[in-house]
Amino acid sequence: MDDTAVQVEQRISWEEVYRTEGPRMWRSLLVLTGDPETASDAMAEAFAQGIARGVSIRNPAAWAWKAAFMIARGELTDRPASNAQPEEIIGGVSDEDVMDLLVALRRLSPLQRAAVVLHHYAGYPVKDVAQMLETSRSAIGVHLFRGRNRLRRELGGDDHA
Amino acid sequence: MRDLDTKLDVVDRVPMPDVWERVEARAAHLPTGGTDIAVPRTAMRQRVVAGVVAFAAFALVVALFVNVVGGPSAIPPVGPTSLDTVTISFTAQHVFSVDGVAVPGEMRNGKNLTPDAVRLIHYQFYPDQIPEVVPGSPIVIEGVVDSRGWIDECCRYGSEGPPRLFALDLAGSPLLPLEPGTYFVELSLHIVGWTGQGAPGDDPVTFMFPVRVKAT
């Protein structure tokens, strides 16, 4: 197989990851950043870097998730948090549940938000979340505990986790 | 929260734009190989730098104009005239010094310092002992295996730590902010010789040092 064929095959593989993981990843990034444009940018940059890295990445899906969250968190440190209204974020769709959730999530710190979304929305175990956010499992446990408590206060509901 | 997963699932109703075209356009311009994740600096930082440069040029023009019209001492000089060097050394004891002079202080929670127990260390200073430095002063860190650093908002002590303002480029030449105010320098690092924390794979320890950037 020549180099061009290898590149095409790799790109198809990354596109498959994008098609399968993309929607959940983009929405996770949206929850983290509160801004659709930043979410799209972080995801596009992660996949672009993955394609450029080529065969050296053994698990493209895991790498893309970690890269996208690292890039999005870099964006958050470089620019102030988005002031976009929830209606703008969800493209004018009138959905009270989504708006309540987005407003409540803004009350969490970025790390609490990232931990909550990766664990409770994306479904990653604490060990993987710690690896993605480059911190310890115990720290993630604390962020999850506090994030859940905060969300419970904001949204109402049981706390049996 | 038993129903948190369900509550978060409402995000699925938000329509996702197709960003694959953006992916392909970017991939064409990126270097190939390696596995490291590069966190790109945003245009925001470039705009800030451009803004600072534009303001400096504007200030120079104003200064020249005022010199011509109003005499040589009409406005004070712009910007710092000399920089302090903030050195944080972990080669023996963690010593915080400014221009070679150690800043007195003590670990707030480090009296029984054991690598297994301590993850967050605050240095405690009296208000009049928080070092004052010139805006944009360089930071030097010694005796560290691997580290990450941030400038944090001051001064809310709490178990979660204060909000981070920006990351320090420890591989380059990290600098303190230009804006006067009191900040924390937060370092998350692995220290040479600390059992269980001396290698990049171990859990890091976080140190927080307050510093006051004075007005010029």
Side-chain angles (χ1 to χ4, degrees):
Chain A
M1 199 182 294
D2 63 19
D3 285 352
T4 312
V6 171
Q7 283 172 11
V8 169
E9 192 170 292
Q10 285 167 5
R11 192 157 295 212
I12 290 169
S13 158
W14 278 100
E15 191 167 359
E16 280 170 6
V17 173
Y18 170 83
R19 299 291 167 209
T20 53
E21 301 285 332
R24 211 153 181 80
M25 187 187 296
W26 184 83
R27 291 184 181 103
S28 299
L29 293 165
L30 174 69
V31 169
L32 174 70
T33 63
D35 179 32
E37 192 53 32
T38 307
S40 297
D41 254 355
M43 194 166 89
E45 180 67 27
F47 275 94
Q49 285 190 26
I51 290 170
R53 300 293 183 272
V55 290
S56 47
I57 296 169
R58 283 181 294 175
N59 185 341
W63 194 93
W65 273 94
K66 182 174 182 178
F69 266 73
M70 279 181 71
I71 292 163
R73 289 176 65 211
E75 292 281 317
L76 286 178
T77 56
D78 280 357
R79 70 169 75 165
S82 168
N83 289 321
Q85 295 303 305
E87 297 90 332
E88 297 168 29
I89 292 174
I90 60 177
V93 177
S94 176
D95 191 319
E96 206 171 311
D97 292 338
V98 179
M99 283 195 272
D100 287 348
L101 178 66
L102 292 174
V103 168
L105 284 162
R106 282 185 182 175
R107 312 255 185 236
L108 274 57
S109 73
L111 263 174
Q112 285 172 357
R113 221 160 39 226
V116 165
V117 74
L118 283 169
H119 184 63
H120 287 287
Y121 177 70
Y124 280 100
V126 170
K127 175 174 70 80
D128 292 353
V129 176
Q131 204 170 20
M132 276 189 222
L133 300 179
E134 299 191 309
T135 185
S136 64
R137 274 183 261 185
S138 54
I140 292 300
V142 172
H143 289 307
L144 283 173
F145 177 76
R146 293 199 172 133
R148 279 196 298 256
N149 279 348
R150 193 79 194 250
L151 275 180
R152 184 190 57 188
R153 283 202 301 275
E154 298 293 332
L155 296 171
D158 301 328
D159 188 4
H160 297 295
Chain B
M1 194 179 291
R2 180 185 287 161
D3 57 348
L4 181 57
D5 299 12
T6 316
K7 286 188 174 176
L8 284 167
D9 279 346
V10 300
V11 180
D12 287 340
R13 299 177 200 162
V14 181
M16 175 200 164
D18 193 346
V19 296
W20 186 250
E21 276 185 22
R22 212 183 293 192
V23 171
E24 295 200 302
R26 286 182 188 210
H29 301 289
L30 289 173
T32 57
T35 58
D36 290 345
I37 297 162
V39 178
R41 309 327 300 173
T42 62
M44 174 78 174
R45 183 162 292 182
Q46 292 164 8
R47 285 198 295 275
V48 169
V49 171
V52 169
V53 171
F55 178 76
F58 172 73
L60 183 64
V61 170
V62 170
L64 289 171
F65 176 76
V66 173
N67 258 344
V68 170
V69 174
S73 59
I75 65 171
V78 176
T81 52
S82 65
L83 297 173
D84 299 319
T85 300
V86 175
T87 305
I88 303 169
S89 174
F90 296 93
T91 47
Q93 296 292 322
H94 23 275
V95 175
F96 191 26
S97 61
V98 175
D99 271 356
V101 179
V103 179
E106 59 180 334
M107 282 185 292
R108 194 166 166 235
N109 57 345
K111 285 184 179 168
N112 298 312
L113 185 64
T114 59
D116 290 336
V118 175
R119 289 288 179 271
L120 176 67
I121 296 173
H122 283 202
Y123 240 62
Q124 181 167 289
F125 293 88
Y126 294 106
D128 61 346
Q129 289 175 330
I130 294 178
E132 278 204 332
V133 298
V134 170
S137 290
I139 302 167
V140 176
I141 296 160
E142 298 172 338
V144 167
V145 179
D146 177 40
S147 60
R148 289 169 178 272
W150 296 268
I151 293 295
D152 292 343
E153 188 179 90
C154 200
C155 289
R156 284 193 297 150
Y157 284 98
S159 55
E160 286 178 68
R164 287 171 180 169
L165 298 178
F166 60 84
L168 290 171
D169 178 14
L170 297 183
S173 303
L175 302 174
L176 283 164
L178 291 167
E179 184 74 20
T182 307
Y183 302 89
F184 275 126
V185 178
E186 180 184 329
L187 298 168
S188 179
L189 42 81
H190 302 276
I191 303 166
V192 178
W194 277 35
T195 309
Q197 290 164 345
D202 299 330
D203 281 344
V205 185
T206 301
F207 286 83
M208 300 181 82
F209 299 93
V211 64
R212 190 171 290 140
V213 173
K214 58 191 174 190
T216 52

